[in-house]
């Protein structure tokens, strides 16, 4: 695709994902097709989280004094907060913030909930909208001012070790989630100057969109005891002592949907993983003048059978050219199309078309065994889409030895360059300036025998750099 940004805008409109004409900058309307993709995506995440977390729902409004309590946190968000100052015509005594994220809404309550060591760990999540007055260029689903699909998890632990373990568990959860969507990612520790405000450190998932820019699609923050001390969240130990808790939080947003669309899509439009496709199969009758009724009836029976087997199926019996329907469902990214005409009914066959490979094959529908065949084809589609996306991603990550090589890797090969670095902030910022990129983060911290690509001092780690959204 030549111009990703243009392609992305067009497909959001044509496939009726979201309508960006809503008259507030950075805020958009989910349309039925988009809403379904969003729903199935969230269902996957909720299923994983529900095994170990409990879902809650906190208010949208945060009192000014609570928001202001954690100094580093509030500093990080001060330019992004929307304020409610009036109730009708009455000026409020205390301004209320629209949550930019929910630490300061939740943690005063956690202080009330956590009593003894036996209450811990606590693991909660909520799926809500959050508001950030982003000053950087807004983009639908990618950088929005109302994040409509903010999944935030917050956990509370008795010890530093457990908290550290939770960071690893959260990384595993997101790995599983992104793997089910076939979205490739790199995981790295953000440099100190780019961590979440108030965190000890931040682990981030980044993917690469087709224009070569990376998109942060999820973050896991180790909050240590920073917020516990600010909000006085303590527990009583078995020995009767009062100790501060340790905390983590982690989140993903609408960007996950942007990635599904951007990473799997192609010139023909969307290509949706079966797990989140509003319809996994569309059935198209091939109608000639004769036997039209019979074909329509057969297609309806086929639809009912597949639906009964738990698949999401749509039967398009509209009286328009089949070719027009093909075009539409290819653009909408339906993973499988099934074409059935009079001759197929006679031969007990159907033609199926895979959206990901754009290939047709004939399958037998003689016995109900064919339903398992269809299910395994859908599984193959998920598998192949994931593999395809990872192959493309891996081609765009290169280990480099010099700054020139890093620059040309990012300019020409459009992706991520990886090299040894000293870990020093001044050197890192100089590097970002020289290559006109951002440091994504660090990986593989044993680099004692190597030297920094920039200042030539002993290296401490490998770092990833890229142009970012
Ligand atoms: C937290 N607190 O808030 P985070 N538009 C779309 N997606 C966005 C935007 C935006 N304007 N800003 C951030 N994201 C922690 C963890 C509770 C949960 C996405 O963390 O500020 C990014 O993918 O890092 C980011 O990784 C995620 O939200 C969480 O936001």
């Amino acid at each position: 695709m030549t111009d990703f940004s243009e392609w992305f805008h067009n497909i959001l409109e044509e496939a009726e994902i979201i309508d960006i004409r809503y008259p507030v900058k950075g805020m958009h309307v989910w349309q039925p097709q988009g809403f379904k993709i969003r729903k199935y995506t969230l269902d996957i995440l909720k299923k994983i989280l529900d095994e170990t977390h409990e879902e809650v729902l906190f208010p949208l409004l945060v009192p000014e004094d609570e928001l202001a309590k954690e100094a580093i946190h509030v500093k990080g968000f001060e330019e992004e907060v929307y304020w409610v100052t009036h109730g009708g015509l009455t000026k409020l005594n205390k301004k209320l913030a629209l949550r930019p994220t929910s630490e300061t809404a939740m943690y005063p309550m956690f202080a009330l909930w956590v009593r003894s060591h036996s209450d811990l760990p606590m693991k909660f999540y909520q799926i809500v909208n959050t508001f950030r007055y982003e000053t950087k260029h807004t983009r639908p689903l990618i950088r929005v001012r109302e994040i409509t699909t903010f999944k935030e998890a917050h956990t509370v632990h008795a010890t530093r070790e457990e908290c550290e373990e939770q960071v690893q568990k959260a990384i595993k959860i997101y790995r599983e989630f992104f793997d089910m969507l076939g979205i490739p990612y790199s995981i790295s520790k953000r440099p100190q100057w780019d961590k979440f405000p108030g965190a000890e450190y931040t682990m981030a998932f980044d993917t690469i969109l087709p224009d070569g820019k990376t998109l942060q699609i999820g973050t896991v923050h180790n909050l240590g005891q920073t917020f516990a001390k600010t909000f006085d969240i303590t527990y009583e130990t078995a020995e009767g002592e009062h100790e501060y808790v340790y905390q983590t939080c982690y989140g993903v947003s609408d960007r996950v949907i942007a990635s599904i669309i951007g990473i799997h899509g192609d010139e023909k439009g969307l290509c949706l993983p079966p797990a989140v496709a509003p319809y996994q199969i569309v059935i198209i009758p091939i109608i000639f003048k004769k036997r039209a009724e019979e074909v329509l009836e057969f297609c309806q029976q086929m639809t009912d059978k597949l639906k009964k087997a738990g698949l999401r199926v749509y039967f398009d019996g509209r009286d328009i050219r089949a070719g027009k329907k093909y075009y539409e469902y290819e653009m909408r990214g339906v993973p499988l199309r099934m074409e059935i005409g009079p001759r197929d009914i006679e031969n007990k066959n159907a033609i199926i078309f895979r959206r990901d490979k754009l290939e047709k094959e004939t399958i037998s529908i003689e016995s109900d065994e064919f339903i398992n065949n269809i299910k395994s084809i859908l599984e193959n589609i998920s598998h192949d889409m994931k593999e395809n996306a990872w192959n493309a991603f891996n081609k765009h990550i290169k280990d480099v030895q010099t700054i020139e090589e890093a620059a040309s890797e990012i300019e020409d090969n459009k992706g991520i360059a990886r090299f040894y670095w000293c870990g020093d902030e001044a050197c890192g910022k100089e590097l970002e300036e020289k290559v006109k990129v951002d440091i994504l983060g660090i990986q593989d911290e044993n680099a004692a025998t190597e030297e920094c690509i920039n200042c030539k001092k002993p290296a401490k780690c490998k770092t990833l750099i890229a142009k970012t959204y």
Side-chain angles (χ1 to χ4, degrees), residues 109-117 119-120 122 156 232-236 243 245:
M109 299 305 293
F110 286 10
L112 303 174
W113 293 352
V114 178
R115 284 277 152 265
S116 124
H117 61 96
D119 298 331
L120 300 176
M122 283 183 178
V156 188
D232 201 24
I233 314 175
T234 60
Y235 70 98
E236 193 175 318
E243 299 278 357
V245 298

Side-chain angles (χ1 to χ4, degrees), residues 77 100-103 132 134 141-145 147 150-154 196-197 202 216-219 221 249-255:
F77 281 103
T101 164
S102 303
E103 285 72 11
R132 296 185 181 181
E134 294 279 358
L141 302 179
I142 289 176
R143 176 165 288 102
V144 285
R145 288 183 172 173
I147 310 176
F150 196 66
K151 190 292 299 166
E152 49 178 328
H154 296 263
F196 182 68
T202 289
Q216 173 182 295
I217 47 171
T219 33
H221 312 291
C249 66
Y250 31 102
V252 295
S253 77
D254 309 52
R255 287 183 180 180

Side-chain angles (χ1 to χ4, degrees), residues 74-89:
V74 73
K75 185 104 198 77
F77 281 103
E78 72 185 347
E79 287 177 26
E80 294 183 9
V81 177
Y82 282 89
W83 289 105
V84 176
T85 56
H86 286 73
L89 299 177

